[in-house]
Amino acid sequence: MRAIHTLFLGLLMLASIPAFAVQSLESREGYFVLEFSDYNASYDSLEVVRLVDGTPDTQSLQQFNVSGQRQATMSGFANGHYLVRLLDSSGSEPPIKLAKVWVQHRSLYQALALFVLGLAAFSMLVGILLGFVRKERDGHYA
């Protein structure tokens, strides 16, 4: 029993250590959420760079002010690989690679199939509700 308590305490201590590894994210819907609450308050900018053949493309550089935030939701990116870094505008802290993101949108066929499935479910729900309204109006539930 003591070994189980020791193992549990060790796992709890491991979980409390902040992880500074670069996250690998995949986005099929075109958006992703980045969490950076483990980093100190001196980082105030988020930089997104498109990767071309594994190297940063300086033409596709985007910067966002994230002062006081612990997470950011990013959207509107085209298919491709991106590198996300945290920056310190004063230059006193080195940049931190936060995540590598691969954006690969769903095909038009998949999007239309999901739309039709949702439309069918919605139509069935409206039909069921109208059927119950008619039965109640006709007095079948009295």
Side-chain angles (χ1 to χ4, degrees), residues 19-47:
F20 295 110
V22 176
Q23 301 175 38
S24 275
L25 303 173
E26 181 180 338
S27 174
R28 299 279 294 163
E29 290 80 19
Y31 73 91
F32 49 93
V33 178
L34 299 167
E35 294 203 22
F36 40 88
S37 59
D38 294 337
Y39 300 100
N40 62 26
S42 64
Y43 291 98
D44 55 3
S45 294
L46 192 67
E47 179 182 67

Side-chain angles (χ1 to χ4, degrees), residues 7-74:
L7 179 64
F8 182 70
L9 181 62
L11 289 174
L12 194 61
M13 288 174 58
L14 266 175
S16 66
I17 297 172
F20 295 110
V22 176
Q23 301 175 38
S24 275
L25 303 173
E26 181 180 338
S27 174
R28 299 279 294 163
E29 290 80 19
Y31 73 91
F32 49 93
V33 178
L34 299 167
E35 294 203 22
F36 40 88
S37 59
D38 294 337
Y39 300 100
N40 62 26
S42 64
Y43 291 98
D44 55 3
S45 294
L46 192 67
E47 179 182 67
V48 180
V49 181
R50 186 178 183 123
L51 296 176
V52 178
D53 297 327
T55 59
D57 179 15
T58 56
Q59 300 299 319
S60 66
L61 181 92
Q62 294 180 355
Q63 258 187 324
F64 305 95
N65 184 2
V66 292
S67 298
Q69 296 180 15
R70 292 188 283 178
Q71 73 177 23
T73 302
M74 312 294 291

